[in-house]
Amino acid sequence: MRDKRYQHKKSKRKKWKTFVLILFLLFAGTLAYSYYQFKQGVSQSKDKVDTQAIEYEFNGDKDPYGGTSILLLGSDDPGKGNSRADTIMVAQYHPDRGTYKILSIMRDTYVDIPGHGKDKINAAFALGGPELLRQTIKENFDIDLQYYSIIDFEGFIHLIDEAFPKGVEIEVEKAMSAKIGVQLEPGLQRLDGKHLLGYVRFRHDAIGDFGRVERQQKTMQALADQLMSFQTVAKLPKLVGVMTPFVNTNMATKDILYIGKEFISAKNRDIETMRIPVDGSYQDKRISGVGSVLAVDFEENKQAIREFFTK
């Protein structure tokens, strides 16, 4: 009787060991496949990158609201070292609430740049890279940023064409052509990288840069929605690999994959957006040697930001 019990326990232990081994092999196989897909994506894109990415200093802090905050920058050519930021956004992912938010900061916002006096906020990038821009945003708007991510215009074009070979579906609200290098007609259509870049950069109409910021936010939502065409988390490593050569960031690949997986798996994939300065909190001014700027009420905007990131 005792021998039978012993044999039974031995059999159970053997089955359990077999089960654990199978789980381990599946896990190891998944990691190997993901790494292979990631490297395939990198290989697919790296030949289209002309220059080596600059390694920037970035002394970011964790988001005090419990989220992951990323400084998103678009630049005409960050490799030159003196270009201004064409696009300034703060993206926040909050794992506990499952929320995704984008705050756009108007590039003509008139701010104090630490060590350089008052200027448009986009000048901070030219004067000291993403680290000085981080300090500027912290000092003027009390936003902590843990990571940065920069993409230049050529990188944006290649990234869109690689990640969305059929184009990005977007509703173009009006004819656009002035100073964007392409001709866009109104209507729902699929835009390749060059035409989508023209769409998000257009600002030569009655509402100028305000309309451009709206289009940037609209495009970010469209890109997020259409990532669902990839359908499964299994395809995410290759997509991240495709993106990697075009994006200069201090985020680790595992963190990018984690946030991407959470987004694809989420039931609610809506991206909430806000613009700084908020309506009624600024004045248009002209400053000698600087040009047209937005003089903002910082306290009103800081309060709006706190409410946006904590709700």
Side-chain angles (χ1 to χ4, degrees), residues 56-60 71 73 88 111-117 119-140 145 148:
Y56 289 106
E57 174 189 7
F58 198 77
N59 302 312
L71 177 61
L73 301 173
I88 304 171
V111 297
D112 282 311
I113 299 177
H116 297 273
D119 205 334
K120 295 180 180 183
I121 194 169
N122 68 340
F125 181 72
L127 293 168
E131 170 58 16
L132 183 58
L133 183 51
R134 181 196 68 80
Q135 294 174 22
T136 301
I137 293 171
K138 172 63 177 175
E139 180 171 310
N140 291 271
L145 295 158
Y148 76 85

Side-chain angles (χ1 to χ4, degrees), residues 76-141:
D76 55 0
D77 188 355
K80 290 180 180 177
N82 62 353
S83 61
R84 294 193 173 206
D86 188 73
T87 300
I88 304 171
M89 293 179 171
V90 174
Q92 186 212 56
Y93 163 62
H94 200 293
D96 294 338
R97 295 195 291 264
T99 56
Y100 302 84
K101 300 184 180 186
I102 290 180
L103 173 73
S104 295
I105 303 176
M106 302 285 288
R107 63 183 186 174
D108 290 342
T109 303
Y110 198 48
V111 297
D112 282 311
I113 299 177
H116 297 273
K118 296 184 77 68
D119 205 334
K120 295 180 180 183
I121 194 169
N122 68 340
F125 181 72
L127 293 168
E131 170 58 16
L132 183 58
L133 183 51
R134 181 196 68 80
Q135 294 174 22
T136 301
I137 293 171
K138 172 63 177 175
E139 180 171 310
N140 291 271
F141 297 108

Side-chain angles (χ1 to χ4, degrees), residues 145-165:
L145 295 158
Q146 191 172 2
Y147 302 107
Y148 76 85
S149 187
I150 310 169
I151 185 167
D152 65 17
F153 295 163
E154 283 302 312
F156 179 86
I157 291 171
H158 289 313
L159 174 57
I160 295 301
D161 288 343
E162 289 289 345
F164 301 90

Side-chain angles (χ1 to χ4, degrees), residues 46-78:
K46 67 178 182 180
D47 293 338
K48 297 179 181 176
V49 179
D50 296 328
T51 57
Q52 187 72 24
I54 299 172
E55 290 188 17
Y56 289 106
E57 174 189 7
F58 198 77
N59 302 312
D61 294 317
K62 290 186 177 180
D63 185 336
Y65 307 119
T68 298
S69 290
I70 308 160
L71 177 61
L72 301 178
L73 301 173
S75 176
D76 55 0
D77 188 355

Side-chain angles (χ1 to χ4, degrees), residues 206-222:
I207 55 175
D209 214 33
F210 288 89
R212 189 177 71 96
V213 168
E214 287 180 9
R215 282 186 285 277
Q216 289 172 354
Q217 293 181 339
K218 174 182 170 181
T219 299
M220 291 292 285
Q221 182 68 67

